[in-house]
Amino acid sequence: MSDHYEALGVPRDASTEDIKKAYRKLARKLHPDVNPGEAERFKDVSAAYDVLSNPEKRRAYDRGESLGGFGGGGAGAGFGFSDIFETFFGGAAGGGGRGPASRARRGQDALVRVEVDLRDAVFGADRELQVDTAVVCSTCQGSCCQPGTSPRTCEVCGGRGQVQRQVRSFLGQVMTTAPCPNCGGFGTTIPNPCPECAGEGRVQERRTLTVRIPPGVSTGTRIQLAGQSEVGFGGGPPGDLFVEVVERDHETFTRRGDDLHCTVQVPMTAAALGTTLSVDTLDGSQSVDVRAGTQSGEVHTLRGLGVGHLRGGGRGDLLVHVDVQTPTRLDERQEELLRQLAEMRGEEAAEGRLTSAGGGVFGRLRDLISGR
Ligand SMILES: [Zn+2]
Ligand SMILES: [Zn+2]
Protein backbone atom coordinates (compact mmCIF):
# COMPACT_ATOMS: atom_id res chain seq x y z
CA MET A 1 0.00 0.00 0.00
CA SER A 2 1.40 3.38 -0.95
CA ASP A 3 1.93 6.20 1.51
CA HIS A 4 -1.44 7.73 2.42
CA TYR A 5 -0.23 11.32 2.08
CA GLU A 6 1.23 10.54 -1.33
CA ALA A 7 -1.98 8.77 -2.38
CA LEU A 8 -3.98 11.91 -1.66
CA GLY A 9 -1.21 14.23 -2.87
CA VAL A 10 -1.20 16.29 0.33
CA PRO A 11 1.71 17.35 2.59
CA ARG A 12 2.18 15.59 5.93
CA ASP A 13 0.90 18.63 7.81
CA ALA A 14 -2.24 18.99 5.70
CA SER A 15 -5.35 20.04 7.62
CA THR A 16 -8.40 17.78 7.77
CA GLU A 17 -10.14 20.22 5.47
CA ASP A 18 -7.31 19.95 2.91
CA ILE A 19 -7.50 16.17 3.11
CA LYS A 20 -11.24 16.24 2.52
CA LYS A 21 -10.84 18.55 -0.46
CA ALA A 22 -8.09 16.40 -1.96
CA TYR A 23 -10.20 13.27 -1.56
CA ARG A 24 -13.26 14.83 -3.16
CA LYS A 25 -11.24 15.93 -6.12
CA LEU A 26 -9.64 12.52 -6.61
CA ALA A 27 -12.83 10.58 -5.96
CA ARG A 28 -14.61 12.59 -8.60
CA LYS A 29 -11.92 11.59 -11.06
CA LEU A 30 -11.29 8.00 -9.94
CA HIS A 31 -14.64 6.58 -8.81
CA PRO A 32 -15.21 3.23 -10.60
CA ASP A 33 -18.51 4.41 -11.99
CA VAL A 34 -16.75 7.33 -13.62
CA ASN A 35 -13.44 5.73 -14.41
CA PRO A 36 -13.49 1.90 -14.16
CA GLY A 37 -9.82 1.62 -15.18
CA GLU A 38 -8.68 3.38 -11.99
CA ALA A 39 -10.22 1.00 -9.48
CA GLU A 40 -6.86 0.24 -7.80
CA ARG A 41 -5.98 3.88 -7.34
CA PHE A 42 -9.46 4.66 -6.10
CA LYS A 43 -8.95 1.91 -3.54
CA ASP A 44 -5.68 3.48 -2.36
CA VAL A 45 -7.17 6.94 -2.26
CA SER A 46 -10.17 5.75 -0.27
CA ALA A 47 -7.97 3.82 2.14
CA ALA A 48 -5.81 6.91 2.61
CA TYR A 49 -8.86 9.06 3.26
CA ASP A 50 -10.24 6.54 5.74
CA VAL A 51 -7.08 6.86 7.83
CA LEU A 52 -6.20 10.52 7.44
CA SER A 53 -9.72 11.86 7.95
CA ASN A 54 -9.85 10.22 11.37
CA PRO A 55 -7.59 12.05 13.85
CA GLU A 56 -6.98 8.97 15.96
CA LYS A 57 -6.12 6.73 13.00
CA ARG A 58 -4.03 9.52 11.52
CA ARG A 59 -1.95 9.92 14.69
CA ALA A 60 -1.39 6.16 14.82
CA TYR A 61 -0.39 6.17 11.15
CA ASP A 62 2.02 9.05 11.73
CA ARG A 63 3.61 7.04 14.55
CA GLY A 64 4.02 4.17 12.11
CA GLU A 65 1.35 1.97 13.66
CA SER A 66 -1.38 0.18 11.85
CA LEU A 67 -4.86 0.12 13.29
CA GLY A 68 -5.79 -3.17 11.78
CA GLY A 69 -6.00 -2.27 8.16
CA PHE A 70 -8.44 -0.40 6.06
CA GLY A 71 -12.00 0.18 7.14
CA GLY A 72 -11.62 -2.03 10.19
CA GLY A 73 -14.11 -4.45 8.76
CA GLY A 74 -11.69 -6.73 6.96
CA ALA A 75 -14.41 -7.27 4.37
CA GLY A 76 -11.87 -7.67 1.61
CA ALA A 77 -13.44 -7.22 -1.77
CA GLY A 78 -13.76 -3.50 -1.48
CA PHE A 79 -16.96 -3.28 0.55
CA GLY A 80 -15.36 -0.58 2.64
CA PHE A 81 -14.99 1.91 -0.16
CA SER A 82 -18.55 2.20 -1.12
CA ASP A 83 -19.28 2.75 2.57
CA ILE A 84 -16.87 5.60 2.70
CA PHE A 85 -18.00 6.87 -0.62
CA GLU A 86 -21.59 6.88 0.50
CA THR A 87 -20.81 8.50 3.84
CA PHE A 88 -18.85 11.13 2.03
CA PHE A 89 -21.18 11.80 -0.85
CA GLY A 90 -24.45 10.97 0.82
CA GLY A 91 -25.34 7.96 -1.30
CA ALA A 92 -27.88 5.27 -0.57
CA ALA A 93 -28.56 4.82 3.10
CA GLY A 94 -27.72 1.35 4.33
CA GLY A 95 -27.37 -1.79 2.31
CA GLY A 96 -24.59 -0.32 0.21
CA GLY A 97 -22.23 -2.98 -1.03
CA ARG A 98 -23.24 -5.55 1.51
CA GLY A 99 -24.16 -8.23 -0.94
CA PRO A 100 -27.40 -10.18 -1.20
CA ALA A 101 -29.56 -10.47 1.90
CA SER A 102 -30.54 -13.81 3.38
CA ARG A 103 -34.13 -14.87 2.82
CA ALA A 104 -34.39 -16.32 6.29
CA ARG A 105 -35.80 -13.91 8.87
CA ARG A 106 -36.18 -14.40 12.58
CA GLY A 107 -39.77 -15.16 13.53
CA GLN A 108 -41.73 -12.67 15.56
CA ASP A 109 -42.14 -12.92 19.31
CA ALA A 110 -45.64 -13.66 20.46
CA LEU A 111 -47.65 -13.15 23.60
CA VAL A 112 -50.33 -15.50 24.87
CA ARG A 113 -52.35 -15.08 28.03
CA VAL A 114 -53.10 -17.94 30.33
CA GLU A 115 -55.63 -17.85 33.14
CA VAL A 116 -54.51 -19.44 36.36
CA ASP A 117 -56.53 -19.99 39.49
CA LEU A 118 -55.28 -19.22 42.97
CA ARG A 119 -54.18 -22.77 43.62
CA ASP A 120 -51.79 -22.61 40.61
CA ALA A 121 -50.43 -19.27 41.82
CA VAL A 122 -49.87 -20.69 45.31
CA PHE A 123 -48.23 -23.97 44.38
CA GLY A 124 -47.19 -23.53 40.73
CA ALA A 125 -48.44 -25.83 37.99
CA ASP A 126 -47.69 -27.29 34.60
CA ARG A 127 -50.12 -26.05 32.00
CA GLU A 128 -50.71 -27.27 28.49
CA LEU A 129 -51.05 -24.53 25.94
CA GLN A 130 -52.26 -24.72 22.40
CA VAL A 131 -50.65 -22.17 20.14
CA ASP A 132 -51.29 -21.50 16.48
CA THR A 133 -47.90 -20.70 15.08
CA ALA A 134 -45.63 -21.14 12.09
CA VAL A 135 -43.26 -24.08 11.86
CA VAL A 136 -40.65 -24.97 9.24
CA CYS A 137 -42.33 -26.35 6.12
CA SER A 138 -41.56 -30.06 6.03
CA THR A 139 -41.97 -30.22 2.25
CA CYS A 140 -39.19 -27.75 1.39
CA GLN A 141 -37.35 -27.71 4.75
CA GLY A 142 -37.59 -23.93 4.74
CA SER A 143 -35.88 -23.48 1.38
CA CYS A 144 -39.10 -22.04 -0.13
CA CYS A 145 -38.48 -24.07 -3.32
CA GLN A 146 -40.54 -26.89 -4.71
CA PRO A 147 -38.57 -30.08 -3.96
CA GLY A 148 -36.15 -30.82 -6.80
CA THR A 149 -35.85 -27.17 -7.81
CA SER A 150 -33.56 -24.48 -6.53
CA PRO A 151 -33.40 -20.68 -6.43
CA ARG A 152 -32.28 -18.99 -9.62
CA THR A 153 -29.73 -16.21 -9.73
CA CYS A 154 -31.56 -12.95 -10.30
CA GLU A 155 -31.09 -11.81 -13.89
CA VAL A 156 -31.56 -8.14 -12.98
CA CYS A 157 -28.82 -7.79 -10.37
CA GLY A 158 -26.78 -10.86 -11.29
CA GLY A 159 -27.04 -12.20 -7.75
CA ARG A 160 -25.67 -9.12 -6.01
CA GLY A 161 -29.04 -8.25 -4.53
CA GLN A 162 -28.45 -4.63 -5.42
CA VAL A 163 -28.79 -2.44 -8.39
CA GLN A 164 -27.05 0.82 -9.16
CA ARG A 165 -29.09 3.91 -9.48
CA GLN A 166 -28.18 7.25 -10.93
CA VAL A 167 -28.44 10.05 -8.43
CA ARG A 168 -27.79 13.72 -8.93
CA SER A 169 -25.27 15.20 -6.54
CA PHE A 170 -22.67 17.92 -6.50
CA LEU A 171 -20.55 15.51 -8.52
CA GLY A 172 -23.12 15.54 -11.27
CA GLN A 173 -24.64 12.14 -12.00
CA VAL A 174 -23.30 9.49 -9.63
CA MET A 175 -24.26 5.91 -9.18
CA THR A 176 -25.45 4.62 -5.89
CA THR A 177 -26.78 1.24 -4.86
CA ALA A 178 -30.30 0.18 -3.90
CA PRO A 179 -31.89 -3.20 -3.17
CA CYS A 180 -32.80 -4.98 -6.38
CA PRO A 181 -36.51 -4.56 -7.09
CA ASN A 182 -36.69 -7.85 -8.98
CA CYS A 183 -35.41 -10.19 -6.25
CA GLY A 184 -36.09 -7.97 -3.24
CA GLY A 185 -32.39 -7.86 -2.43
CA PHE A 186 -31.99 -11.62 -2.02
CA GLY A 187 -29.90 -12.05 -5.19
CA THR A 188 -32.03 -15.00 -6.25
CA THR A 189 -35.58 -15.58 -7.33
CA ILE A 190 -37.64 -18.69 -6.73
CA PRO A 191 -39.09 -19.83 -10.05
CA ASN A 192 -40.92 -22.80 -8.52
CA PRO A 193 -42.18 -21.93 -5.06
CA CYS A 194 -42.95 -24.79 -2.72
CA PRO A 195 -46.66 -25.56 -3.18
CA GLU A 196 -47.08 -26.56 0.46
CA CYS A 197 -46.02 -23.22 1.97
CA ALA A 198 -46.47 -20.98 -1.10
CA GLY A 199 -42.76 -20.23 -0.98
CA GLU A 200 -42.72 -18.95 2.61
CA GLY A 201 -40.61 -21.79 3.97
CA ARG A 202 -43.01 -22.16 6.89
CA VAL A 203 -46.56 -23.34 7.48
CA GLN A 204 -49.17 -22.62 10.12
CA GLU A 205 -49.61 -25.32 12.67
CA ARG A 206 -51.34 -25.82 16.00
CA ARG A 207 -48.80 -26.87 18.57
CA THR A 208 -49.30 -28.06 22.10
CA LEU A 209 -46.65 -27.17 24.60
CA THR A 210 -46.32 -27.42 28.33
CA VAL A 211 -45.46 -24.34 30.32
CA ARG A 212 -44.24 -24.47 33.89
CA ILE A 213 -46.08 -21.86 35.96
CA PRO A 214 -43.88 -21.14 38.99
CA PRO A 215 -45.39 -20.44 42.42
CA GLY A 216 -45.95 -16.75 43.11
CA VAL A 217 -47.14 -15.61 39.69
CA SER A 218 -49.82 -12.96 39.55
CA THR A 219 -51.64 -11.03 36.86
CA GLY A 220 -49.06 -9.53 34.52
CA THR A 221 -46.24 -11.99 35.27
CA ARG A 222 -44.58 -12.99 32.01
CA ILE A 223 -42.86 -16.29 31.41
CA GLN A 224 -40.46 -16.33 28.48
CA LEU A 225 -40.22 -19.49 26.40
CA ALA A 226 -37.18 -18.99 24.18
CA GLY A 227 -37.59 -20.15 20.60
CA GLN A 228 -41.20 -21.29 21.07
CA SER A 229 -42.81 -18.67 18.87
CA GLU A 230 -43.22 -18.74 15.10
CA VAL A 231 -40.46 -19.76 12.73
CA GLY A 232 -39.45 -16.85 10.52
CA PHE A 233 -39.90 -16.34 6.81
CA GLY A 234 -37.65 -18.63 4.79
CA GLY A 235 -37.41 -21.07 7.67
CA GLY A 236 -35.61 -18.47 9.81
CA PRO A 237 -35.01 -18.94 13.54
CA PRO A 238 -38.08 -18.87 15.78
CA GLY A 239 -39.04 -15.97 18.00
CA ASP A 240 -39.75 -16.19 21.71
CA LEU A 241 -43.14 -16.94 23.19
CA PHE A 242 -44.19 -14.91 26.20
CA VAL A 243 -46.88 -16.35 28.42
CA GLU A 244 -48.65 -13.68 30.44
CA VAL A 245 -50.51 -14.74 33.53
CA VAL A 246 -54.05 -13.61 34.30
CA GLU A 247 -54.98 -14.63 37.82
CA ARG A 248 -58.58 -15.53 38.53
CA ASP A 249 -60.12 -14.37 41.80
CA HIS A 250 -60.86 -17.03 44.37
CA GLU A 251 -64.27 -17.12 45.99
CA THR A 252 -62.93 -17.57 49.51
CA PHE A 253 -59.39 -16.28 49.64
CA THR A 254 -58.29 -12.76 48.77
CA ARG A 255 -54.65 -12.29 47.85
CA ARG A 256 -52.60 -9.34 49.01
CA GLY A 257 -49.01 -9.75 47.89
CA ASP A 258 -48.12 -13.28 48.90
CA ASP A 259 -50.50 -13.31 51.88
CA LEU A 260 -53.98 -14.71 51.70
CA HIS A 261 -56.95 -13.43 53.69
CA CYS A 262 -60.22 -15.09 54.52
CA THR A 263 -63.06 -14.45 56.91
CA VAL A 264 -64.58 -17.04 59.19
CA GLN A 265 -67.98 -16.44 60.77
CA VAL A 266 -68.32 -17.44 64.44
CA PRO A 267 -71.62 -17.38 66.34
CA MET A 268 -71.70 -14.90 69.21
CA THR A 269 -72.01 -17.69 71.78
CA ALA A 270 -68.98 -19.55 70.41
CA ALA A 271 -66.95 -16.34 70.37
CA ALA A 272 -67.93 -15.72 73.98
CA LEU A 273 -67.31 -19.26 75.18
CA GLY A 274 -64.36 -20.16 72.97
CA THR A 275 -64.18 -22.96 70.41
CA THR A 276 -61.93 -24.72 67.91
CA LEU A 277 -62.79 -24.15 64.28
CA SER A 278 -61.82 -26.21 61.31
CA VAL A 279 -60.88 -23.97 58.37
CA ASP A 280 -60.68 -25.34 54.84
CA THR A 281 -57.42 -23.94 53.45
CA LEU A 282 -55.68 -24.68 50.15
CA ASP A 283 -53.46 -26.99 52.22
CA GLY A 284 -56.44 -28.90 53.57
CA SER A 285 -58.29 -28.56 56.84
CA GLN A 286 -56.56 -26.55 59.58
CA SER A 287 -57.81 -26.03 63.11
CA VAL A 288 -57.99 -22.51 64.48
CA ASP A 289 -58.41 -21.96 68.22
CA VAL A 290 -60.93 -19.22 68.96
CA ARG A 291 -60.33 -18.24 72.57
CA ALA A 292 -63.22 -17.33 74.87
CA GLY A 293 -64.07 -13.67 74.51
CA THR A 294 -62.96 -13.32 70.89
CA GLN A 295 -64.04 -10.05 69.27
CA SER A 296 -65.18 -9.50 65.73
CA GLY A 297 -62.22 -8.57 63.53
CA GLU A 298 -59.57 -10.54 65.39
CA VAL A 299 -57.04 -12.13 63.08
CA HIS A 300 -55.41 -15.54 63.33
CA THR A 301 -52.25 -15.97 61.29
CA LEU A 302 -51.47 -19.37 59.81
CA ARG A 303 -47.79 -19.08 58.96
CA GLY A 304 -46.59 -20.35 55.60
CA LEU A 305 -50.01 -21.16 54.19
CA GLY A 306 -50.03 -18.25 51.72
CA VAL A 307 -48.71 -17.92 48.18
CA GLY A 308 -45.25 -19.23 47.31
CA HIS A 309 -42.71 -16.47 46.73
CA LEU A 310 -41.83 -16.05 43.06
CA ARG A 311 -38.22 -15.29 43.98
CA GLY A 312 -36.58 -17.27 46.73
CA GLY A 313 -38.33 -20.06 48.55
CA GLY A 314 -40.94 -19.90 51.25
CA ARG A 315 -44.54 -18.81 51.30
CA GLY A 316 -46.64 -15.98 52.62
CA ASP A 317 -49.18 -16.40 55.43
CA LEU A 318 -52.88 -17.11 55.59
CA LEU A 319 -54.71 -14.58 57.77
CA VAL A 320 -58.06 -15.73 59.12
CA HIS A 321 -60.35 -12.86 60.15
CA VAL A 322 -63.02 -13.64 62.71
CA ASP A 323 -66.48 -12.23 62.09
CA VAL A 324 -68.71 -12.62 65.15
CA GLN A 325 -72.32 -13.22 64.18
CA THR A 326 -75.09 -11.70 66.23
CA PRO A 327 -78.11 -14.04 66.30
CA THR A 328 -81.20 -12.99 64.43
CA ARG A 329 -84.69 -14.50 64.45
CA LEU A 330 -84.75 -15.47 68.15
CA ASP A 331 -87.60 -17.67 69.27
CA GLU A 332 -89.40 -16.91 72.52
CA ARG A 333 -87.26 -19.10 74.71
CA GLN A 334 -83.99 -17.82 73.26
CA GLU A 335 -85.09 -14.25 73.70
CA GLU A 336 -86.04 -14.98 77.29
CA LEU A 337 -82.61 -16.50 77.97
CA LEU A 338 -80.84 -13.54 76.43
CA ARG A 339 -82.88 -11.11 78.50
CA GLN A 340 -81.95 -13.05 81.61
CA LEU A 341 -78.28 -12.90 80.56
CA ALA A 342 -78.52 -9.18 79.93
CA GLU A 343 -80.11 -8.70 83.34
CA MET A 344 -77.38 -10.72 85.04
CA ARG A 345 -74.73 -8.61 83.27
CA GLY A 346 -76.50 -5.35 83.98
CA GLU A 347 -76.87 -4.69 80.27
CA GLU A 348 -80.67 -4.31 80.03
CA ALA A 349 -80.35 -0.64 79.13
CA ALA A 350 -76.82 -0.67 77.77
CA GLU A 351 -75.65 2.48 76.09
CA GLY A 352 -73.08 2.35 73.33
CA ARG A 353 -69.64 3.17 74.63
CA LEU A 354 -67.44 5.40 72.50
CA THR A 355 -63.89 4.22 71.86
CA SER A 356 -61.02 5.86 70.03
CA ALA A 357 -60.78 5.12 66.34
CA GLY A 358 -57.49 3.30 67.01
CA GLY A 359 -59.13 0.32 68.60
CA GLY A 360 -62.14 -1.86 68.01
CA VAL A 361 -63.38 -3.29 64.79
CA PHE A 362 -62.95 -0.14 62.74
CA GLY A 363 -59.33 0.25 63.74
CA ARG A 364 -58.59 -3.29 62.77
CA LEU A 365 -60.53 -2.86 59.57
CA ARG A 366 -58.49 0.22 58.76
CA ASP A 367 -55.26 -1.66 59.48
CA LEU A 368 -56.39 -4.45 57.20
CA ILE A 369 -57.26 -2.14 54.35
CA SER A 370 -53.97 -0.31 54.61
CA GLY A 371 -52.19 -3.66 54.77
CA ARG A 372 -50.72 -3.30 58.29
ZN1 LIG B 1 -42.45 -25.34 1.68
ZN1 LIG C 1 -32.04 -9.04 -8.15
Side-chain angles (χ1 to χ4, degrees):
M1 192 178 279
S2 67
D3 178 78
H4 288 336
Y5 292 98
E6 264 173 41
L8 288 177
V10 293
R12 302 197 81 81
D13 59 354
S15 69
T16 308
E17 196 49 42
D18 290 341
I19 287 165
K20 207 167 170 180
K21 270 189 203 146
Y23 176 64
R24 274 193 197 187
K25 210 167 131 192
L26 287 167
R28 214 171 290 176
K29 204 167 76 188
L30 302 174
H31 190 269
D33 293 325
V34 182
N35 203 340
E38 294 283 12
E40 273 308 304
R41 260 196 81 199
F42 181 67
K43 206 166 160 179
D44 284 346
V45 164
S46 297
Y49 178 71
D50 177 61
V51 172
L52 299 186
S53 61
N54 177 321
E56 205 178 309
K57 286 187 191 174
R58 184 178 176 183
R59 274 194 298 277
Y61 179 74
D62 289 345
R63 286 194 302 267
E65 298 164 16
S66 164
L67 280 185
F70 165 62
F79 286 168
F81 313 117
S82 64
D83 284 355
I84 294 179
F85 189 75
E86 277 160 16
T87 318
F88 198 92
F89 297 109
R98 278 177 193 85
S102 165
R103 234 179 209 97
R105 296 285 156 84
R106 181 180 183 270
Q108 303 224 317
D109 293 340
L111 179 72
V112 294
R113 290 197 171 80
V114 57
E115 283 202 352
V116 302
D117 58 27
L118 183 64
R119 183 173 289 278
D120 295 339
V122 168
F123 300 110
D126 286 330
R127 287 287 293 274
E128 277 205 344
L129 284 184
Q130 295 221 311
V131 286
D132 290 312
T133 188
V135 298
V136 176
C137 171
S138 58
T139 303
C140 65
Q141 309 297 338
S143 75
C144 310
C145 299
Q146 188 174 349
T149 71
S150 49
R152 183 188 294 157
T153 302
C154 173
E155 56 263 29
V156 173
C157 65
R160 291 173 55 241
Q162 280 148 3
V163 288
Q164 302 225 296
R165 263 187 328 181
Q166 274 207 336
V167 178
R168 288 192 62 83
S169 80
F170 69 91
L171 296 175
Q173 299 282 339
V174 291
M175 303 296 276
T176 161
T177 54
C180 169
N182 185 48
C183 62
F186 301 129
T188 54
T189 56
I190 294 182
N192 304 293
C194 168
E196 183 63 31
C197 62
E200 275 218 18
R202 56 180 184 172
V203 289
Q204 286 297 120
E205 195 179 89
R206 170 160 290 196
R207 271 173 49 211
T208 303
L209 48 97
T210 305
V211 53
R212 173 102 263 263
I213 310 274
V217 297
S218 55
T219 295
T221 304
R222 284 188 180 184
I223 300 157
Q224 182 175 9
L225 303 177
Q228 296 288 355
S229 183
E230 63 161 26
V231 155
F233 187 88
D240 296 341
L241 182 67
F242 291 86
V243 177
E244 188 174 280
V245 169
V246 178
E247 187 183 350
R248 278 192 290 257
D249 285 341
H250 191 274
E251 56 178 7
T252 308
F253 301 104
T254 306
R255 179 173 174 184
R256 242 172 251 125
D258 285 341
D259 288 338
L260 294 177
H261 295 259
C262 67
T263 298
V264 63
Q265 295 185 327
V266 179
M268 180 190 75
T269 47
L273 300 171
T275 186
T276 299
L277 299 172
S278 151
V279 176
D280 257 338
T281 71
L282 294 171
D283 293 80
S285 180
Q286 300 283 325
S287 57
V288 172
D289 282 324
V290 175
R291 61 175 179 81
T294 287
Q295 305 295 322
S296 218
E298 282 190 15
V299 179
H300 292 261
T301 302
L302 303 179
R303 299 252 171 250
L305 297 189
V307 182
H309 299 310
L310 189 57
R311 278 170 245 290
R315 293 170 63 184
D317 300 330
L318 171 60
L319 290 90
V320 181
H321 300 255
V322 176
D323 181 20
V324 176
Q325 299 283 292
T326 305
T328 54
R329 292 195 305 275
L330 300 170
D331 64 22
E332 245 173 77
R333 167 121 175 92
Q334 290 167 351
E335 190 181 334
E336 175 58 27
L337 282 171
L338 273 180
R339 283 195 194 286
Q340 284 179 25
L341 179 63
E343 200 177 325
M344 286 164 73
R345 292 179 55 84
E347 293 169 350
E348 308 105 303
E351 289 171 20
R353 192 161 53 84
L354 288 176
T355 62
S356 77
V361 176
F362 294 110
R364 284 191 289 273
L365 197 64
R366 187 199 58 200
D367 289 352
L368 178 60
I369 289 164
S370 64
R372 273 195 273 167

